[in-house]
Every structure is written in structure tokens, then in C-alpha cells.
Amino acid sequence: MSIRAVVWDVDDTLFDYTTADREGMRAHLVAEGLLAGYGSAEEALVRWREITDRQWARFAAGEVDFVTQRRDRTRVFLGRPELTDAEADDWFRRYVTHYEAAWSLFPDVLPVLDALAGSHRHAVLSNSSLTVQDRKLRVLGVHDRFEAILCAAELGVSKPEPGAFLAACDALGLTPPEVAYVGDHPEIDGRGAADAGLLSVWIDRGGVYATVDPPVGPRRIASLSELPALLGADTRFGAPSTFG
């Protein structure tokens, strides 16, 4: 069965989240006068990401809602459990200002979206909230490229659960074998999409998962320029993956 649509992850797949997060946190800590307390911006970012992963796991398990996990990220990072909701929200909003100033797409995104525009439908499935990702895609200028944008906070189910991927297929009115999913995380995106029956494509840009052995199921690519050939799209863009 031919692939008729591509569903995309956002952060570190289309959007260079890692760079924006690093540069945004550095600028924020400097502005807040907090950088010295963390040794370096890199050490602070490692701590921020560890806390983010733990708090997100609580959200994914249904223990807290989206806003609560964000507030708790701030309280734990600052070591200030006494922060009121308003104080935590204000601190996070100031961080977001610096974070958004560093937003950008990866350079291979627009060329591949252009190459596939006439051959495949497109949608987004993200483990975030629609409020966050809808605005992000608008600011980045690609919102109109996607006919459906689905996020875990509104769906009530997160990747790698099959229900998240099947919801994206349902939104497109297609069966899983007709849909490809492209994401950067080998397990959450790669194995999750494969287990749900989609054509799973793991985009490995040489980041934090570069040394991870690929799980069974996903096709591994190093650049989105490889995607059209993998999908069998009628386009001159791209080349077969060297990862197999």
C-alpha cells in the first residue's frame, strides 16, 4: 500500500528545539542573574532538560495537567517549592521570551515540504499542547502546510502509545499503512509509530540519540533530504538513506 500522508513530530524534527532551548536558557539565566549559580549554561541546560523529562513523564502518566508540569519544572529548577503559581508562570514567561527569540526551522525542512507538497498530505503529532505548537508553527511560517495538528495535551494520549498515532491517522481518514511518521526520538517516535503500524522514519541528526542502536521497525535517515526517495515520491529531491 502506498504512503499517502506524512505525519510529523515538531521539536528537533522540524524545529531546532535543542539550539533554541540552549540559547534561550543561556540568555534567560544571564538576564535573571542566575548563571553563576549553575556553573555554566551547559550545566544549567542539562539540569533543565532532566527536570523537564521527569515532569513530562508525570504529565504523560496523567498525574498532573500540562500547566502544572510546567510550573513544577520551574520550581524544581530554581529549588524554590514555595513559588506561587503566578510567580512560576511569570518566570516561565520570561524564559519563553528568550527561547522564542532563538526559534528556527532546520534548513532541510522547507525543501522537503516543497518536494512532497504535490504528492503527500501532511499533519503534525506532538507530545506537547496545541497552544504551544500551533503558535510555534505560525511563527515559523509553516502552519498552513499541515491539514491537522494534534497534540498530547488535547488528545489525552501521548506517544509512544498507539492511540496517539492512530488518532493522527483518523484525523486524515487514512489507515496506518498509508501514513508515514517522522520524528527524532528512536523510541517515542520511531518504535512507537512502527508498533502502531505506520511507516516509521527516525530522523537522526547526530544529536543526543546518535549513539543509540536503532530499534526494530523505524527507517533511520540522517537528513530529511532522504525522505522523498524513501517514500517513493515522484521527485528529484533526495537520495536513498545510507543507514538502511
Side-chain angles (χ1 to χ4, degrees):
M1 187 175 293
S2 63
I3 300 298
R4 299 175 60 190
V6 182
V7 178
W8 301 83
D9 175 53
V10 177
D11 295 345
D12 280 331
T13 298
L14 300 171
F15 160 63
D16 190 353
Y17 169 77
T18 295
T19 297
D21 197 31
R22 181 180 63 246
E23 298 307 316
M25 181 56 69
R26 183 194 306 274
H28 182 52
L29 292 176
V30 169
E32 299 282 310
L34 296 173
L35 185 57
Y38 292 94
S40 70
E42 288 70 26
E43 291 177 33
L45 187 60
V46 168
R47 174 170 167 75
W48 177 248
R49 288 179 179 164
E50 290 173 347
I51 292 167
T52 296
D53 288 345
R54 289 198 298 270
Q55 295 303 325
W56 185 265
R58 296 175 62 220
F59 166 69
E63 297 174 13
V64 295
D65 61 24
F66 184 81
V67 173
T68 299
Q69 66 82 26
R70 191 173 64 185
R71 289 167 175 164
D72 287 347
R73 284 164 63 189
T74 299
R75 293 182 176 111
V76 175
F77 180 73
L78 296 176
R80 296 183 60 191
E82 78 282 0
L83 282 181
T84 66
D85 288 350
E87 289 170 333
D89 289 344
D90 285 344
W91 191 92
F92 196 88
R93 274 194 292 269
R94 294 195 299 275
Y95 156 69
V96 167
T97 298
H98 297 288
Y99 165 57
E100 290 186 357
W103 280 4
S104 67
L105 296 170
F106 286 105
D108 56 2
V109 171
L110 291 180
V112 78
L113 289 176
D114 288 342
L116 297 175
S119 58
H120 292 76
R121 298 162 64 193
H122 298 271
V124 159
L125 173 63
S126 168
N127 266 4
S128 183
S129 75
L130 186 58
T131 299
V132 171
Q133 301 297 42
D134 188 270
R135 181 174 184 277
K136 185 183 295 174
L137 294 170
R138 290 183 189 278
V139 170
L140 294 170
V142 293
H143 185 275
D144 292 345
R145 302 281 191 138
F146 308 103
E147 59 183 88
I149 299 172
L150 294 85
C151 294
E154 290 74 26
L155 285 176
V157 61
S158 304
K159 301 176 296 181
E161 292 300 318
F165 298 98
L166 298 180
C169 296
D170 288 345
L172 294 166
L174 298 174
T175 62
E178 296 177 289
V179 179
Y181 188 81
V182 183
D184 72 291
H185 196 291
E187 294 292 333
I188 293 173
D189 296 315
R191 191 189 298 276
D195 288 350
L198 289 73
L199 172 65
S200 177
V201 182
W202 171 28
I203 173 68
D204 174 14
R205 298 184 182 278
V208 294
Y209 308 116
T211 60
V212 174
D213 291 332
V216 175
R219 309 290 185 89
R220 186 179 185 182
I221 62 175
S223 167
L224 294 181
S225 65
E226 302 174 61
L227 186 61
L230 192 155
L231 298 179
D234 184 15
T235 172
R236 296 180 184 276
F237 186 100
S241 173
T242 57
F243 286 95

